[in-house]
Amino acid sequence: MTSGRRSIAAAIRAALLTGDPTAKVFAARQVARDWRLGRLDLTFDVEMPERPEWPAALELLPPGRMPKRGKMGSERNRIALWHALAHIEFVAIDLALDMAGRFGDSMGQVFVSEFLSVAADEAMHFALLARKLDSLGSCYGALPAHDGLWSAARDTSHDVAARLAIVPMVLEARGLDVTPATLERVRAQGDENGAKILKRILDDEIRHVAIGSKHFHAVAAHRGENARELWRKLVEMHFSGGLKGPFNDSARLAGGLPRSYYAAIA
């Protein structure tokens, strides 16, 4: 006998297949809220899509073909910066949803809860950045964006350890390295509102990296493998760009990623 409630997998899949940015923000936050309030069953009865829906008008380019951003002095370059940040956070909503929906059946309830909370954070970050773009007379989708982040998800869709190693512990950790300098540049331009947005994102991303690191270590222990060696092996297999400094060692450590992990392969 079923409860008659919707499954968590169906709710996550529907959010992933929502292409309109505002609707996706609402859908991600609603899934996280419904799950927290016990309105969804911990049932994985549908597959996750091969890739999520994004706005039809969004032009996607390979990372190497993206137009170069200049320094932040001009309005055009400021818009390009905020658009790039908005795209990262938009894709991050889907990365967190897919993490919960694709691997939640094997990883369990705490894993699902934590990655749905990450998805809700990313949705809030995107909403702040979309509002920022609006205030500059632009909008998300007005500029091209690159498809590198989702290709990392596609390459690791077969293995939760690989997904955790690459998405929270490489890609999100990179955000910990670059955001403080961006924040200072924004503040130096007199944009205190922009600096507050970036500070909020930085604080949340430390927690997101820590969630990824915690579950990665649990998977490594379950498999009887050394976590650091497994992480290095997976990074070498699935991350072609190579790790490049400078690194924000203190933020990475707070996110459960000590320097001993990445120093030898950077």
Side-chain angles (χ1 to χ4, degrees):
M1 191 172 149
T2 63
S3 67
R5 292 183 305 186
R6 193 181 195 192
S7 74
I8 186 63
I12 291 171
R13 180 182 166 87
L16 284 164
L17 292 176
T18 301
D20 175 77
T22 304
K24 191 184 287 284
V25 165
F26 179 80
R29 297 180 80 169
Q30 191 66 41
V31 173
R33 178 177 166 77
D34 285 347
W35 171 251
R36 199 173 63 246
L37 295 176
R39 295 172 181 161
L40 298 167
D41 274 341
L42 185 64
T43 309
F44 293 87
D45 52 350
V46 294
E47 298 280 312
M48 293 303 109
E50 182 78 9
R51 71 173 294 140
E53 287 291 327
W54 292 350
L58 183 66
E59 183 188 0
L60 292 171
L61 298 174
R65 284 194 45 221
M66 284 291 291
K68 290 278 181 278
R69 283 206 312 271
K71 293 201 165 59
M72 277 190 62
S74 75
E75 190 76 354
R76 188 169 68 88
N77 288 334
R78 276 202 290 276
I79 288 170
L81 169 74
W82 292 109
H83 193 279
L85 294 171
H87 180 63
I88 289 167
E89 297 299 324
F90 183 75
V91 181
I93 301 170
D94 287 328
L95 289 171
L97 288 171
D98 188 78
M99 185 83 85
R102 189 171 298 274
F103 302 112
D105 195 18
S106 61
M107 292 296 291
Q109 188 165 345
V110 172
F111 182 91
V112 171
S113 296
E114 292 191 332
F115 279 100
L116 288 181
S117 81
V118 171
D121 286 347
E122 307 294 18
M124 185 263 293
H125 297 166
F126 174 77
L128 291 171
L129 292 164
R131 197 179 309 148
K132 183 71 178 171
L133 280 170
D134 289 344
S135 76
L136 295 169
S138 188
C139 65
Y140 179 57
L143 298 175
H146 76 72
D147 203 20
L149 291 170
W150 193 259
S151 70
R154 193 174 56 242
D155 294 346
T156 56
S157 61
H158 62 291
D159 178 17
V160 68
R163 177 67 68 84
L164 289 164
I166 299 303
V167 174
M169 297 175 75
V170 171
L171 299 177
E172 286 206 82
R174 188 70 192 134
L176 305 185
D177 302 332
V178 300
T179 302
T182 307
L183 192 159
E184 287 312 315
R185 282 207 309 278
V186 165
R187 184 168 275 147
Q189 295 277 334
D191 183 359
E192 201 49 48
N193 164 261
K196 277 185 186 158
I197 293 171
L198 292 176
K199 180 70 169 74
R200 174 63 190 267
I201 291 173
L202 179 61
D203 290 347
D204 287 345
E205 300 296 0
I206 291 171
R207 191 172 73 256
H208 298 172
V209 174
I211 288 169
S213 177
K214 177 183 83 171
H215 289 290
F216 179 82
H217 281 80
V219 171
H222 181 70
R223 294 182 183 179
E225 296 204 48
N226 176 284
R228 183 173 63 187
E229 296 311 313
L230 178 61
W231 182 77
R232 286 180 180 172
K233 180 173 77 177
L234 291 167
V235 170
E236 282 166 6
M237 280 171 61
H238 296 289
F239 189 68
S240 57
L243 299 184
K244 298 179 180 73
F247 299 110
N248 185 346
D249 293 330
S250 61
R252 282 170 168 259
L253 185 61
L257 194 55
R259 187 169 173 76
S260 60
Y261 270 59
Y262 52 87
I265 60 172

